[in-house]
Amino acid sequence: MKKHIILGVLLGFGLSLIIRDPFLSVTGYINKNILKHNLNNQLVVDLSESTKVMETPIIESGQLLYSAYLNDQTILIRGYIQIWNLDDLENFLVNSKRISTFDFHSYSLQPIKIANDKGYLTEWTASFGESYRISGLEYWLKKSDTSGVLRISFFTDTTSFSKEQMGYIEKIINSIIWSKYDNAI
């Protein structure tokens, strides 16, 4: 009995530290150690040290030219940074939604401009089964005078992104340097 009381006190103390100290809390903590990642010698992006990056080789040349998967279990976010070869980005996005098997609860497609690149932002929430929902933010930027499109997407297993997640997404988007890549397409 005495062991259970001591264990309860220690567990309570540990939980109170996590709740009060944002450094230890999953929802209040974003790793301050930022690393520059060079992706495919075309993109440079600042990512938290806790973000795992897995590059996927693209064997066949088609619309998708490059893909890197991002996963950060500290802030519970994942996504992709990809380079696509698309002549008509808006039509591609409209058709993608139309043929999607996702059960969308919300979906928006808005024009955006980041740095010198124009494109679209898709924001959506969808369900997969009765109890599983996912939210997505996808930035699609078209390199002017080419068919090159940069997709930066983020997903979370909730119906919306938290304030911390949105802050991290903004930092990533604002850090991206997309070099000229004439030989990539």
Side-chain angles (χ1 to χ4, degrees), residues 15 17 35-36 62 69 77 89 94 98 110 112-113 120 128 133 139 161-162 171 175 182-183 185:
L15 286 174
L17 278 177
L35 303 173
K36 285 204 177 298
Y69 177 71
I77 200 168
L89 176 58
V94 168
R98 186 176 50 79
Q110 306 164 13
I112 58 171
K113 182 176 182 184
Y120 295 93
F128 297 86
R133 290 212 175 164
Y139 297 81
F161 288 89
S162 70
K171 286 179 182 178
S175 76
D182 298 332
N183 59 354
I185 295 181

Side-chain angles (χ1 to χ4, degrees), residues 70-106:
L70 310 175
N71 189 351
D72 194 317
Q73 289 299 306
T74 304
I75 58 170
L76 305 176
I77 200 168
R78 62 192 180 284
Y80 290 94
I81 295 179
Q82 298 175 325
I83 297 175
W84 289 71
N85 181 17
L86 302 171
D87 289 320
D88 187 348
L89 176 58
E90 183 177 15
N91 190 45
F92 174 82
L93 294 173
V94 168
N95 284 333
S96 293
K97 182 191 184 275
R98 186 176 50 79
I99 64 173
S100 175
T101 59
F102 290 8
D103 182 13
F104 290 108
H105 293 272
S106 66

Side-chain angles (χ1 to χ4, degrees), residues 38-39 66 133-134 175:
N38 185 334
L39 304 174
Y66 170 78
R133 290 212 175 164
I134 185 173
S175 76

Side-chain angles (χ1 to χ4, degrees), residues 48-183:
S48 169
E49 186 177 63
S50 60
T51 303
K52 294 187 180 357
V53 179
M54 292 165 275
E55 294 183 77
T56 304
I58 305 298
I59 308 288
E60 290 186 30
S61 258
Q63 289 180 310
L64 181 60
L65 303 174
Y66 170 78
S67 184
Y69 177 71
L70 310 175
N71 189 351
D72 194 317
Q73 289 299 306
T74 304
I75 58 170
L76 305 176
I77 200 168
R78 62 192 180 284
Y80 290 94
I81 295 179
Q82 298 175 325
I83 297 175
W84 289 71
N85 181 17
L86 302 171
D87 289 320
D88 187 348
L89 176 58
E90 183 177 15
N91 190 45
F92 174 82
L93 294 173
V94 168
N95 284 333
S96 293
K97 182 191 184 275
R98 186 176 50 79
I99 64 173
S100 175
T101 59
F102 290 8
D103 182 13
F104 290 108
H105 293 272
S106 66
Y107 185 94
S108 69
L109 176 65
Q110 306 164 13
I112 58 171
K113 182 176 182 184
I114 297 176
N116 294 323
D117 301 315
K118 293 180 182 178
Y120 295 93
L121 172 65
T122 57
E123 294 182 72
W124 52 266
T125 302
S127 62
F128 297 86
E130 290 185 28
S131 61
Y132 182 64
R133 290 212 175 164
I134 185 173
S135 294
L137 274 176
E138 299 184 77
Y139 297 81
W140 297 83
L141 301 172
K142 185 150 177 62
K143 196 62 130 173
S144 57
D145 301 329
T146 72
S147 59
V149 173
L150 178 61
R151 174 191 182 215
I152 312 111
S153 62
F154 303 95
F155 310 104
T156 189
D157 293 332
T158 58
T159 56
S160 64
F161 288 89
S162 70
K163 184 188 259 187
E164 290 85 6
Q165 289 170 327
M166 290 303 296
Y168 187 56
I169 289 169
E170 284 181 36
K171 286 179 182 178
I172 290 172
I173 295 299
N174 292 329
S175 76
I176 289 180
I177 299 170
W178 188 11
S179 65
K180 298 287 184 200
Y181 62 98
D182 298 332
N183 59 354

